[in-house]
Amino acid sequence: MQPENTGDMARRRAILTDRERELIASDDTEEKEYQYQAASRIRNKIHDELPTDIDILEENHPELLKELREVVCEDGG
């Protein structure tokens, strides 16, 4: 499966892999176990990996951290 933006050959993921995006967005009841597993992986990335990335940005590139916060918090305050 190709990424949605096929014109961008260097496209990278943010938190979700392409497969995790498919699973989370799917209404297919036959994939519920895979959806649960994907949600668990995503939760682990949010709680275990993201804080480390934030610490690195805070210490080494605060402007990028500011951009990240603006994107993540733009709807939620």
Side-chain angles (χ1 to χ4, degrees):
M1 173 177 238
Q2 290 186 334
E4 286 182 27
N5 186 356
T6 56
D8 186 2
M9 296 305 287
R11 180 177 174 255
R12 305 277 181 162
R13 69 173 184 229
I15 294 175
L16 308 181
T17 65
D18 289 338
R19 181 65 177 143
E20 289 167 343
R21 288 175 178 171
E22 289 173 14
L23 289 167
I24 296 299
S26 175
D27 291 332
D28 188 348
T29 57
E30 293 181 13
E31 293 196 309
K32 286 296 181 192
E33 181 60 28
Y34 295 115
Q35 291 169 339
Y36 174 80
Q37 292 171 6
S40 179
R41 284 191 306 272
I42 295 162
R43 190 172 287 111
N44 287 336
K45 286 187 259 187
I46 291 169
H47 293 284
D48 298 339
E49 303 300 328
L50 191 57
T52 300
D53 291 349
I54 289 170
D55 289 343
I56 290 169
L57 289 174
E58 185 173 47
E59 185 174 327
N60 299 288
H61 209 307
E63 185 60 32
L64 284 177
L65 179 58
K66 180 181 175 190
E67 290 178 37
L68 173 64
R69 285 188 171 133
E70 287 172 359
V71 169
V72 170
C73 301
E74 79 177 6
D75 292 330

